[in-house]
Amino acid sequence: MRSGQDNAVTRRSFMEKAGIAGLSAATLVAPSATAADAKSRLASATYYATQRQVQEWSFASGKAYTDPFNQVEFDVVFADPQGKEMRVPGFWAGELTWKVRFAAPTTGKYLFRTIASDAANSDLHDRRGEINVSEYAGDNALLKHGPVRVAADHLHFEHADGTPFFWLGDTWWMGLCHRLRWPQDFQELAADRVRKGFTVVQIIAGLYPDMPAFDPRGANEAGYPWEPDYARINPKYFDMADLRIHELIQRGLTPCIVGCWGYFLGFMGLEKLKQHWRNIVARWGAYPVIWCLAGEGTMPYYLSKNKEADSAAQKKAWTEIARYVRQIDPQQHCITIHPSATARDSVEDPAVLDFDMLQTGHSDRQSYPSTIDKVTGELSRSPRMPVLVGEVCYEGILDENRQEVSRFVFWASMLSGAAGHTYGADGIWQVNTAEAPYGPSPHGRSWGGPPWNEAAQLPGSRQLGVGKEFLSKLQWWRLEPHPEWVEPHWSKENYQLCYAAGIPGELRIVFVPPMWDPPGVKQLESGVTYRAFFFDPRTGKEHPIGDVAGEADGSWKSPITPTFEQWILVLQRQS
């Protein structure tokens, strides 16, 4: 038995735990209370919270268990002001303590009650209380507008209140490990990405690629996410990961949380991976996050001797895990899977996914055809869902893939109908440091790359931020691909020609790669005058052209670009 004080149930804002000013901890049960008194007092207690801000309750068991992680499952049911219930999974926090995190999506009075698989444990089962939730008044877009969801057109993303969400992602696969030090390194990189306009960080929950299980490079300050035999999680690992996830959200960055690399299915098995995902949903499901089931979901382990069978088993398992995550996540966050090619082909039933993530190559300009073919091809498939490139041409990888390649795949994808785009830099995804370069992968080869803090300053990240800032000033979510609006335009015979998109009668955007002869714009509407300018995708500066209107056949010839480089030609209808 633990002391009476340990049996107290407490609630606090998770911001306080992260070392950020927030609501102070509140003790719900006096240390001297008997179990009967505690339950009675808890039933009449009232707590105060703010809409969409995460609150944490801690429940300590006076009953001992030999293996609490595997012996007890703990949930809390929250009922909103209309009586609609949300069953929120709790998580084992170590020793004999379980916790739950909840963020109320609306204002008003909520009621809660606990459910433990050991119903005889009165410390955990059938505890009750109520929460009065007030409106959020801050300026963090994730809390002001709510978490990200798929819009009704199934082509782009928006916040819970309908505000469009522009996905500009960055790839920090190993960002929860100790090599990206907390707090200084992590906060430095997060601040840099916010300054440049990024909105999403793709980050793995501790079970990494390019290393065997329990490789020292993958630990954080508290060790590994699981015990060596996968008997149970290591709660202290996730306590340290909590700080990093919370930091992203405090800065307005949406974590796209990747459960593990796909081949961990062979290491852990289906049931352990379900436990892993339950812990992830319980820890972070109250936050405005996005779920990515696995990285390279159907790729077997590098040294596998039966790759075909392993790939098939992984595809089947991730389909089942997708359904499981959907079942236990009361917030119904968006779900995808990071693929070797396309997300929808990494599961047996694409209906388990909310959007299609692509991986299209790291072969410099040779990756253009794969990128455009996958973006345009996936948009034509059923069921319709948003499509975005989640990995392509990490800047600097393979001693090529420079900033002009990053710009090309961004603009070509966005003007071909992509719902967003993810950037990556060689040196960041593995968290290289000057003192300790990452070194070889299990196959014996090393990806190399600069230290992460040098990679963070590669010019492509800033230039994609410039592109996102420009598009954000326009109604980018209404853009439609219209390659026929410009000549010459890309085709399967030549992908390094112009890409065009826009809003008929209102806006035309043309990505112009280096060309000797300027392109011609076609099908301009009769009687419509546009303001035309060149936009520099490197600096964000505009170069005016003037007012333009189509000839009788709707055509207009662009002037030559200011320099023999990539440019964006823009035609905006005069108001």
Side-chain angles (χ1 to χ4, degrees):
M1 293 287 289
R2 311 180 81 191
S3 70
Q5 185 159 357
D6 284 339
N7 286 336
V9 182
T10 61
R11 189 275 298 157
R12 62 179 172 180
S13 164
F14 187 61
M15 288 187 295
E16 180 192 25
K17 180 178 179 181
I20 300 170
L23 299 176
S24 59
T27 300
L28 308 188
V29 182
S32 59
T34 65
D37 284 344
K39 194 167 186 178
S40 173
R41 294 178 64 175
L42 184 60
S44 61
T46 300
Y47 314 104
Y48 297 89
T50 303
Q51 181 184 13
R52 300 193 184 105
Q53 286 193 314
V54 174
Q55 305 295 309
E56 179 184 280
W57 284 260
S58 180
F59 298 81
S61 171
K63 179 179 178 179
Y65 297 93
T66 57
D67 185 5
F69 174 70
N70 290 297
Q71 288 177 296
V72 178
E73 201 165 87
F74 177 75
D75 294 340
V76 179
V77 175
F78 293 86
D80 71 11
Q82 286 71 46
K84 181 181 178 181
E85 292 189 340
M86 300 171 63
R87 183 163 179 155
V88 178
F91 60 93
W92 177 60
E95 298 184 341
L96 295 174
T97 298
W98 284 259
K99 295 181 179 182
V100 70
R101 292 175 183 160
F102 178 66
T106 60
T107 60
K109 185 172 78 172
Y110 284 72
L111 304 178
F112 72 79
R113 58 186 171 87
T114 66
I115 301 175
S117 56
D118 181 3
N121 187 338
S122 60
D123 292 327
L124 301 180
H125 188 69
D126 202 26
R127 313 301 295 269
R128 296 173 183 264
E130 66 179 49
I131 319 161
N132 283 332
V133 181
S134 59
E135 187 174 0
Y136 174 74
D139 57 4
N140 185 316
L142 297 176
L143 303 182
K144 182 178 180 179
H145 301 298
V148 176
R149 68 185 185 189
V150 172
D153 63 5
H154 295 279
L155 290 175
H156 72 276
F157 300 100
E158 64 184 17
H159 291 277
D161 68 354
T163 302
F165 176 81
F166 194 118
W167 178 305
L168 180 60
D170 198 16
T171 308
W172 305 9
W173 290 143
M174 302 182 192
L176 297 182
C177 78
H178 64 93
R179 288 173 296 114
L180 191 62
R181 296 172 300 171
W182 174 263
Q184 60 269 40
D185 293 353
F186 197 93
Q187 291 179 342
E188 178 183 337
L189 182 56
D192 178 83
R193 273 19 195 176
V194 170
R195 282 194 300 271
K196 292 172 179 172
F198 285 82
T199 58
V200 175
V201 170
Q202 296 175 185
I203 196 164
I204 302 169
L207 304 176
Y208 296 129
D210 282 272
M211 63 174 71
F214 303 102
D215 187 301
R217 294 173 292 185
N220 73 10
E221 299 84 351
Y224 300 104
W226 282 78
E227 294 181 5
D229 58 356
Y230 298 110
R232 58 195 60 82
I233 62 164
N234 171 13
K236 294 185 183 303
Y237 171 93
F238 288 97
D239 289 342
M240 291 305 303
D242 282 343
L243 301 178
R244 292 164 163 91
I245 296 298
H246 185 77
E247 179 72 18
L248 295 177
I249 293 162
Q250 284 296 104
R251 292 182 181 271
L253 292 166
T254 296
C256 177
I257 296 174
V258 185
C260 66
W261 221 244
Y263 56 67
F264 271 86
L265 178 74
F267 298 163
M268 299 175 66
L270 178 62
E271 294 309 312
K272 283 297 175 184
L273 277 174
K274 284 185 176 180
Q275 284 186 308
H276 182 67
W277 260 106
R278 179 182 167 86
N279 180 64
I280 291 172
V281 172
R283 285 266 180 174
W284 300 324
Y287 293 95
V289 298
I290 290 166
W291 302 135
C292 182
L293 299 168
E296 291 184 326
T298 58
M299 187 192 81
Y301 186 58
Y302 309 96
L303 307 180
S304 168
K305 293 183 175 12
N306 196 348
K307 287 184 167 56
E308 187 175 343
D310 287 352
S311 180
Q314 288 169 213
K315 184 173 184 176
K316 179 179 181 181
W318 291 121
T319 308
E320 182 172 340
I321 291 173
R323 294 190 175 107
Y324 174 72
V325 172
R326 183 84 66 197
Q327 173 191 339
I328 66 171
D329 175 19
Q331 300 284 358
Q332 296 296 287
H333 294 297
C334 290
I335 296 176
T336 192
I337 186 168
H338 173 271
S340 297
T342 73
R344 69 167 76 230
D345 291 329
S346 300
V347 292
E348 293 183 332
D349 179 7
V352 303
L353 306 177
D354 293 296
F355 66 99
D356 199 347
M357 180 177 280
L358 312 177
Q359 181 178 179
T360 61
H362 293 284
S363 300
D364 204 83
R365 289 161 173 79
Q366 289 72 41
S367 295
Y368 295 170
S370 173
T371 301
I372 303 309
D373 285 348
K374 284 187 172 66
V375 169
T376 56
E378 295 309 295
L379 282 167
S380 67
R381 295 177 67 181
S382 182
R384 186 160 84 165
M385 61 179 75
V387 173
L388 63 86
V389 179
E391 181 176 335
V392 61
C393 295
Y394 290 160
E395 190 168 4
I397 201 168
L398 299 173
D399 210 20
E400 54 182 1
N401 296 286
R402 308 300 172 185
Q403 65 267 23
E404 69 277 4
V405 175
S406 296
R407 290 197 307 269
F408 190 102
V409 292
F410 169 81
W411 283 101
S413 296
M414 292 302 300
L415 298 185
S416 295
H421 190 81
T422 295
Y423 166 84
D426 199 27
I428 292 181
W429 66 278
Q430 288 183 314
V431 193
N432 282 345
T433 66
E435 301 80 14
Y438 183 80
S441 303
H443 46 63
R445 300 161 183 83
S446 175
W447 290 103
W452 71 266
N453 52 332
E454 293 179 18
Q457 301 311 316
L458 292 172
S461 60
R462 179 182 57 79
Q463 293 172 6
L464 265 59
V466 165
K468 180 253 184 179
E469 181 182 14
F470 172 72
L471 290 172
S472 295
K473 296 175 182 177
L474 309 171
Q475 293 186 352
W476 56 266
W477 60 94
R478 295 178 57 205
L479 294 179
E480 303 170 359
H482 282 285
E484 74 282 1
W485 279 358
V486 64
E487 190 64 44
H489 61 76
W490 77 273
S491 68
K492 291 184 180 294
E493 287 70 43
N494 189 346
Y495 290 83
Q496 297 190 55
L497 293 174
C498 295
Y499 292 77
I503 304 169
E506 297 181 29
L507 174 68
R508 299 192 177 211
I509 302 175
V510 180
F511 173 65
V512 184
M515 299 172 61
W516 187 260
D517 294 318
V521 175
K522 302 169 63 178
Q523 300 183 24
L524 288 170
E525 299 83 359
S526 176
V528 177
T529 301
Y530 288 91
R531 179 179 74 91
F533 59 92
F534 286 114
F535 174 79
D536 188 337
R538 293 162 292 277
T539 67
K541 293 182 179 179
E542 295 184 10
H543 295 247
I545 297 173
D547 291 349
V548 304
E551 301 290 342
D553 62 355
S555 65
W556 172 74
K557 187 70 171 180
S558 166
I560 61 173
T561 55
T563 60
F564 197 58
E565 299 174 283
Q566 295 174 356
W567 286 88
I568 311 299
L569 173 63
V570 183
L571 279 68
Q572 277 186 298
R573 182 171 184 162
Q574 295 281 30
S575 51

